[in-house]
């Protein structure tokens, strides 16, 4: 048995523990999954489409606000320019 109290263990031991953890985690995930694979994929697709729609709406909002800000900045710049130039 390996003595871990000194912090020494072989690479093979670490790799085998990692692989064992992957297998155990995968098994638990398969057993605990709330939906079948087909249902899970459908829910993921629907969630991705919903997220895409929200991102698109947010991008449109930012574009509109940016255009408004630029228009205001141009007005302010023109006003200041007229005061300075005469």
């Amino acid at each position: 048995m390996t003595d871990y109290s000194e912090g020494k263990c072989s690479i093979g031991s670490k790799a085998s523990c990692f692989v064992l953890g992957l297998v155990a985690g995968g098994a638990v995930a398969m057993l605990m999954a709330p939906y079948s694979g087909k249902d899970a994929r459908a829910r993921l697709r629907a969630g991705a489409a919903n997220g895409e729609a929200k991102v698109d709406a947010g991008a449109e909002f930012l574009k509109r606000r940016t255009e408004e800000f630029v228009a205001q900045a141009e007005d302010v710049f023109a006003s200041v320019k007229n005061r300075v130039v005469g």
Side-chain angles (χ1 to χ4, degrees):
M1 182 161 195
T2 305
D3 182 16
Y4 294 106
S5 63
E6 295 179 19
K8 298 179 182 178
C9 60
S10 69
I11 300 285
S13 175
K14 287 181 182 179
S16 63
C17 286
F18 179 74
V19 170
L20 180 61
L22 281 177
V23 170
V28 169
M30 294 296 287
L31 293 172
M32 302 300 287
Y35 305 104
S36 70
K38 185 177 181 180
D39 292 340
R41 286 188 297 275
R43 290 174 62 89
L44 284 171
R45 261 189 233 102
N50 185 28
E52 183 180 11
K54 286 182 179 181
V55 168
D56 289 343
E60 282 298 318
F61 172 77
L62 288 175
K63 180 180 176 186
R64 193 172 54 253
R65 292 289 293 158
T66 302
E67 290 170 350
E68 292 170 3
F69 178 76
V70 168
Q72 284 180 334
E74 288 172 344
D75 291 344
V76 169
F77 179 76
S79 174
V80 171
K81 181 179 175 184
N82 287 336
R83 287 183 194 166
V84 171
V85 175

